[in-house]
Amino acid sequence: GGSWVLVNTQTVSGTPSAVESGAVFSSTYDTYVVVIRRINFTANGGFQMQLGTSGGYTTSGYRYNGSGVGGTGSSLVTGSSNASIIDLLGGTNSTYHVNSSQDCLSGVIWLHNPYNSVRTSIHAELAWENATDLDAHINNIGAHPNTNTQYDRWKLLCNGSGQTFEATTIIQTFGVVNA
């Protein structure tokens, strides 16, 4: 069977507004998994993703849809056919934002074919405690950049006024060995 091979660990120091992996995608693996744990933000806000190369990050043409549940079973549905980012938390409404007082956001992002010059397919599942009522939220995302680019890196961004990552954040990237 297949296995996962750790290719990168990002342990945040300071309080950056974005965390970047550097060149982690290569021809070695077709599929990668980004595991997000112990994320804490300095202010309530959202969470986003971009893909890039050594020349820069793609800042337009992302297509994504998210379907999740928050509060007491209320639906979180979001999407875009031409965004500058992939919004990972089911929308930009403040009720969807992460609570900043706990290490309460976790998730897994699967990236298929990011290094091949074909469409990169992304799916993710994220869970968090929201900032408004502290209820549990979950969002499932399907996404892709609308280009056939050979990406070699990811960037995760905060979305909120004054929001930055705190030093508790650990993000690991694994390559998935084909079975």
Side-chain angles (χ1 to χ4, degrees):
S3 62
W4 292 12
V5 176
L6 179 63
V7 295
N8 181 267
T9 299
Q10 294 294 315
T11 304
V12 173
S13 61
T15 54
S17 60
V19 177
E20 301 178 34
S21 67
V24 295
F25 306 140
S26 70
S27 61
T28 304
Y29 307 104
D30 293 332
T31 298
Y32 290 83
V33 180
V34 177
V35 177
I36 302 162
R37 58 191 173 96
R38 296 186 59 199
I39 285 196
N40 197 357
F41 298 130
T42 57
N44 299 335
F47 190 44
Q48 303 167 330
M49 180 179 209
Q50 291 178 326
L51 298 177
T53 66
S54 61
Y57 288 91
T58 297
T59 58
S60 65
Y62 289 102
R63 295 173 182 250
Y64 69 89
N65 282 297
S67 176
V69 178
T72 56
S74 60
S75 177
L76 303 177
V77 178
T78 189
S80 177
S81 62
N82 187 21
S84 62
I85 50 81
I86 298 167
D87 196 336
L88 297 171
L89 298 187
T92 57
N93 185 303
S94 64
T95 61
Y96 305 158
H97 287 175
V98 175
N99 179 16
S100 64
S101 65
Q102 301 293 324
D103 298 342
C104 63
L105 174 73
S106 61
V108 178
I109 303 170
W110 291 79
L111 297 109
H112 305 280
N113 295 312
Y115 196 72
N116 299 326
S117 293
V118 297
R119 187 92 57 203
T120 298
S121 175
I122 301 165
H123 69 274
E125 181 180 87
L126 291 102
W128 70 96
E129 176 182 288
N130 91 12
T132 303
D133 57 18
L134 307 183
D135 283 340
H137 281 59
I138 189 167
N139 197 40
N140 298 291
I141 302 278
H144 67 268
N146 198 24
T147 62
N148 292 340
T149 301
Q150 186 178 26
Y151 296 106
D152 69 356
R153 63 195 67 215
W154 53 258
K155 177 167 56 171
L156 296 172
L157 305 103
C158 299
N159 175 28
S161 177
Q163 183 187 19
T164 59
F165 290 91
E166 291 191 20
T168 57
T169 300
I170 299 171
I171 304 168
Q172 294 178 302
T173 303
F174 295 86
V176 179
V177 176
N178 293 335

